[in-house]
Amino acid sequence: MSAAMDTESTYSGYSHYSGHSKKAHRQGRDRHKSPRSKDGSRSEKSVTIQTPPAEPLLGNDASRAEEGQDDNWGETTTAITGTSEHSISQEDIARISKDLEDSVGLDCKRYLGLTVAAVLGLLVFLTPIAFILLPQILWRDDLEPCGTVCEGVFISVAFKLLILLIGTWALFFRQPKADLPRVFVFRALLLVLIFLFVFSYWLFYGVRILDSKDTNYQGIVQYAVSLVDALLFIHYLAIVLLELRQLQPVFTVKVVRSTDGESRYYSLGHLSIQRAALVVLENYYRDFTVYNPALLTASKSRAAKHMAGLKVYNVDGPGNNALGQSRAMIAAAARRRDSSHNELYYEEADHERRVRKRRARLVVAVEEAFTHIKRLQAEEQQKAPGEMMDPREAAQAIFPSMARALQKYLRTTRQQQYHSMESILQHLSFCITNNMTPKAFLERYLNPGPTLQYDRDRWFSKQWTLVSEEAVTSGLQDGVVFVLKCLDFSLVVNVKKIPFIKLSEEFIDPKSHKFVLRLQSETSV
Amino acid sequence: SYLISFSFQQRIEIHKLRQGDNLILGFSIGGGIDQDPTQNPFSEDKTDKGIYVTRVTAGGPAEVAGLQIGDKIMQVNGWDMTMVTHDQARKRLTKRNEEVVRLLVTRQSLQKAVQQSMMS
């Protein structure tokens, strides 16, 4: 195949991408519909996972191999995503409707909480001002004149309110970044405390000052200042409870992904389980490599082969001895001398070699492609106006020479569904613009990166479920285990307390470092 | 089972051999209070800083007299050898005006034979 044909097939491949992919998409979809875990109801704690039969996977591989000549960047394999585009089955409808009603319920709760907090905040902020203004409005003539001390207090009230306003804005006015199942206990407690506090102040004010029309204006103003001071202290309490308390690390948390066992450790302070789950999820998107269902097919087919090899015949007559049957199967499987470990070893060694070979070809192709591009300096730009290209055109010009090698490499490492031709071209023009070397361009494709690197809408899970035996607002303890489930996999989180460390000191005098020779001589006499 | 180690003492009389200008005894010594006792392969107790026979030349006066490798020298001509430095030991053995040295040695032997006879 000449290079000209290569370029032709690349460009035309993109144009008939949609027609071709729909066919394969539908094929693949029918075969792959089952491996999604059916997480229909939120109240149940069990998940049913159906494993697909072994043959269709191999068949799909074969069909993909024969269409390998086509430089097609579209989705010729199935991607198991959360949103279904073409076909909607009965269970999908049920699930979507439940999602809708759940989301409506949660939104209402969130907005209700926000409005309550906002109303309370406004009330609290206006209270001192009201305390000061009401006597002026209602019985101005009876009031004692306000001396210099009193007017000084006005200034301090104004500034303290300003500080309170800025502090509240900094602490509380934030975009909610997550939707948690239960209320924040500390926030609710603080709101209740503020409400009770302000209520009691109003009560006192109403009874002792409004009713009796107290004429000591300075006293009233001092009263208002004391309210603002107390509010500032409550703000300090809020900072300590909501922000500072969980900064010191107390627990070490191990997060393991259920499908492939990838694990990480994080340090957390005193948090409630739901907030700890939030921290874990935020770090998950940054630290864990992206979930790739295509990598799991090998182990699933091996598992199917293990159990499919044995058949149980009941010769002792009718009687459903299921437990005895399964025990017999397990014992027989253990005794059977199968060579699947051999297969696995050679398969993996083979795969490793293939990946390395393709990687070498890819690196060479990309390096060669990058040598064709040269950045024009400013003075050169005036000299040769005819051939100048912007980064996008330059990327499109060198792309065909590396396209085949890149596609083959992505296919071998099963990452092809994460990169479309458009995204590759964009990345290439980005690298050209920023003077990146070929290796920098390739780092995105050689190894699977964290989920954040890929298209947000497709690969981010929209809905996570927190499964926990303890209440999600209770704090973390040593030995707590909770599970974060999404459609395709789950993250098992294990909490361990950092042990109490007893550190003692030992002083060594620098002069005490003395040494002696250890001899063993032999003398002949 | 018990471990009994027999060590018995033996008096050995070595007649020095004249070789040129020197009088040689035909064995090598190791050990001493200024040496490292843990590197002694012949001692039972690795804190023992005594003088041990590390080599016996074949056919030499020491072998003829019955000295064996691994023997611990306790006395040489009446002089104590259990608390001497390596050089002092050498000097006491190689006095030019002495042609005969009488050693008191102690030897660990028969350990394995005793164990076997106890087990059978």
Side-chain angles (χ1 to χ4, degrees):
Chain A
M1 259 213 205
S2 64
M5 267 182 79
D6 268 358
T7 49
E8 187 192 349
S9 71
T10 311
Y11 284 111
S12 59
Y14 193 66
S15 66
H16 66 243
Y17 138 85
S18 50
H20 190 94
S21 77
K22 267 212 182 93
K23 169 175 81 113
H25 205 136
R26 232 180 296 125
Q27 266 181 8
R29 175 164 291 282
D30 290 337
R31 288 173 183 149
H32 281 274
K33 200 156 65 126
S34 30
R36 254 187 319 198
S37 65
K38 293 204 287 189
D39 191 15
S41 57
R42 299 277 174 274
S43 56
E44 291 173 2
K45 287 202 177 160
S46 67
V47 173
T48 56
I49 301 178
Q50 292 176 334
T51 57
E55 271 65 54
L57 288 173
L58 301 175
N60 201 19
D61 274 350
S63 76
R64 256 195 288 134
E66 74 205 11
E67 67 192 25
Q69 294 302 321
D70 173 30
D71 274 358
N72 192 333
W73 289 101
E75 288 89 70
T76 53
T77 59
T78 59
I80 300 174
T81 64
T83 58
S84 109
E85 294 153 305
H86 300 291
S87 60
I88 301 193
S89 67
Q90 190 67 19
E91 66 156 22
D92 285 340
I93 290 176
R95 197 160 47 81
I96 288 172
S97 64
K98 191 164 205 311
D99 277 349
L100 276 177
E101 74 185 24
D102 269 353
S103 65
V104 162
L106 283 174
D107 274 355
C108 269
K109 195 172 71 166
R110 191 171 12 134
Y111 286 133
L112 184 70
L114 278 179
T115 46
V116 163
V119 163
L120 191 64
L122 203 60
L123 193 72
V124 163
F125 187 71
L126 293 177
T127 300
I129 303 177
F131 282 1
I132 295 179
L133 288 180
L134 276 177
Q136 294 275 3
I137 296 169
L138 291 179
W139 61 94
R140 199 198 188 108
D141 311 319
D142 300 330
L143 278 181
E144 289 171 10
C146 198
T148 40
V149 177
C150 184
E151 280 161 9
V153 174
F154 281 153
I155 298 177
S156 89
V157 164
F159 274 103
K160 280 179 185 165
L161 276 180
L162 181 67
I163 292 173
L164 193 63
L165 188 67
I166 296 176
T168 314
W169 167 81
L171 192 62
F172 292 114
F173 286 19
R174 274 183 237 170
Q175 286 273 37
K177 49 184 179 176
D179 212 359
L180 295 178
R182 302 248 180 225
V183 230
F184 271 155
V185 170
F186 281 142
R187 272 199 198 172
L189 279 179
L190 276 170
L191 284 178
V192 167
L193 179 69
I194 292 178
F195 175 72
L196 284 177
F197 178 71
V198 170
F199 180 73
S200 64
Y201 260 71
W202 269 110
L203 201 63
F204 185 84
Y205 187 76
V207 166
R208 297 288 284 276
I209 297 181
L210 282 181
D211 275 353
S212 62
K213 291 209 183 332
D214 193 5
T215 55
N216 179 10
Y217 194 51
Q218 188 169 352
I220 296 174
V221 172
Q222 297 274 20
Y223 183 68
V225 165
S226 78
L227 171 67
V228 179
D229 286 341
L231 284 177
L232 279 174
F233 283 127
I234 292 186
H235 188 257
Y236 156 77
L237 186 70
I239 295 178
V240 164
L241 279 183
L242 296 180
E243 303 282 313
L244 286 184
R245 190 167 168 260
Q246 53 257 23
L247 286 182
Q248 207 176 34
V250 178
F251 297 102
T252 305
V253 149
K254 178 176 183 178
V255 184
V256 182
R257 184 158 60 185
S258 64
T259 49
D260 58 356
E262 188 168 342
S263 63
R264 292 273 187 290
Y265 288 88
Y266 299 113
S267 285
L268 294 178
H270 283 289
L271 288 174
S272 61
I273 292 184
Q274 61 181 0
R275 289 185 76 180
L278 192 62
V279 170
V280 164
L281 281 180
E282 285 164 4
N283 286 323
Y284 166 78
Y285 282 123
R286 185 195 58 184
D287 291 330
F288 279 69
T289 59
V290 65
Y291 165 69
N292 196 346
L295 293 173
L296 304 170
T297 53
S299 57
K300 280 189 187 155
S301 63
R302 266 205 305 277
K305 258 192 271 175
H306 281 314
M307 294 318 270
L310 294 172
K311 278 179 175 275
V312 176
Y313 294 101
N314 203 346
V315 289
D316 291 331
N320 194 10
N321 187 10
L323 185 61
Q325 267 184 19
S326 50
R327 278 218 189 111
M329 268 182 85
I330 293 171
R335 257 180 251 129
R336 179 179 64 168
R337 219 178 293 172
D338 68 32
S339 57
S340 57
H341 58 276
N342 232 3
E343 273 172 43
L344 173 63
Y345 170 69
Y346 283 114
E347 199 182 295
E348 279 191 348
D350 219 19
H351 182 195
E352 183 76 11
R353 235 179 353 152
R354 233 181 313 139
V355 164
R356 265 192 246 157
K357 220 194 279 187
R358 294 245 166 118
R359 182 200 162 116
R361 283 200 196 132
L362 174 63
V363 170
V364 162
V366 171
E367 280 174 357
E368 207 186 301
F370 267 65
T371 57
H372 297 316
I373 293 254
K374 191 177 90 93
R375 177 176 271 267
L376 281 180
Q377 302 302 320
E379 51 281 356
E380 292 169 347
Q381 279 181 19
Q382 279 97 38
K383 283 186 209 156
E387 299 163 3
M388 284 197 306
M389 297 185 281
D390 66 0
R392 172 89 193 174
E393 291 163 1
Q396 278 172 339
I398 60 172
F399 179 66
S401 56
M402 63 167 92
R404 171 171 299 262
L406 184 57
Q407 185 190 29
K408 284 212 168 117
Y409 181 81
L410 289 179
R411 282 238 175 105
T412 314
T413 52
R414 312 233 179 98
Q415 293 176 53
Q416 70 270 33
Q417 69 258 33
Y418 295 107
H419 306 287
S420 65
M421 182 164 122
E422 183 53 38
S423 77
I424 298 177
L425 276 173
Q426 258 178 0
H427 187 235
L428 187 54
S429 59
F430 170 78
C431 290
I432 291 175
T433 317
N434 292 306
N435 291 328
M436 287 190 173
T437 59
K439 200 156 186 200
F441 163 70
L442 277 178
E443 70 79 34
R444 195 175 202 204
Y445 304 108
L446 287 179
N447 296 310
T451 320
L452 282 175
Q453 193 175 290
Y454 302 102
D455 182 13
R456 186 178 295 260
D457 301 319
R458 260 182 89 192
W459 302 109
F460 273 40
S461 281
K462 301 273 191 300
Q463 182 89 1
W464 287 89
T465 312
L466 176 55
V467 177
S468 152
E469 285 168 357
E470 323 213 317
V472 297
T473 48
S474 65
L476 289 179
Q477 300 285 334
D478 186 31
V480 159
V481 174
F482 58 92
V483 177
L484 285 160
K485 262 199 312 205
C486 80
L487 273 177
D488 307 311
F489 58 90
S490 53
L491 296 172
V492 180
V493 180
N494 202 343
V495 178
K496 286 200 181 29
K497 197 167 171 152
I498 296 177
F500 181 75
I501 296 172
K502 241 182 130 124
L503 203 57
S504 57
E505 74 163 292
E506 186 184 328
F507 174 70
I508 295 184
D509 185 5
K511 293 201 204 88
S512 71
H513 298 298
K514 298 270 182 256
F515 296 93
V516 76
L517 274 182
R518 293 167 84 86
L519 299 169
Q520 184 63 17
S521 3
E522 194 185 353
T523 320
S524 59
V525 294
Chain B
S1 64
Y2 291 85
L3 191 74
I4 303 175
S5 86
F6 283 89
S7 58
F8 59 94
Q9 298 187 332
Q10 191 177 356
R11 293 190 184 277
I12 293 182
E13 194 173 294
I14 305 180
H15 297 262
K16 291 189 188 177
L17 179 67
R18 184 164 288 280
Q19 253 191 9
D21 206 21
N22 302 321
L23 285 167
I24 62 161
L25 289 155
F27 67 98
S28 300
I29 53 166
I33 53 176
D34 55 337
Q35 306 284 310
D36 178 19
T38 59
Q39 294 183 39
N40 189 344
F42 304 109
S43 59
E44 175 91 347
D45 174 15
K46 290 303 172 193
T47 58
D48 184 6
K49 292 187 173 178
I51 306 294
Y52 280 79
V53 174
T54 55
R55 243 185 315 149
V56 177
T57 56
E63 193 186 17
V64 164
L67 194 63
Q68 289 181 14
I69 185 172
D71 289 353
K72 177 175 175 183
I73 302 176
M74 310 292 282
Q75 287 178 12
V76 171
N77 285 347
W79 293 97
D80 171 60
M81 296 288 264
T82 56
M83 277 289 159
V84 292
T85 67
H86 190 85
D87 209 41
Q88 283 170 345
R90 180 189 59 82
K91 282 190 184 139
R92 286 193 190 151
L93 282 166
T94 55
K95 288 204 158 76
R96 293 183 79 91
N97 51 357
E98 289 175 355
E99 289 220 358
V100 174
V101 284
R102 291 182 180 81
L103 310 175
L104 180 66
V105 301
T106 180
R107 179 182 302 153
Q108 284 175 352
S109 60
L110 303 181
Q111 248 185 18
K112 271 199 185 139
V114 171
Q115 270 181 323
Q116 276 179 358
S117 68
M118 283 181 71
M119 279 194 272
S120 61

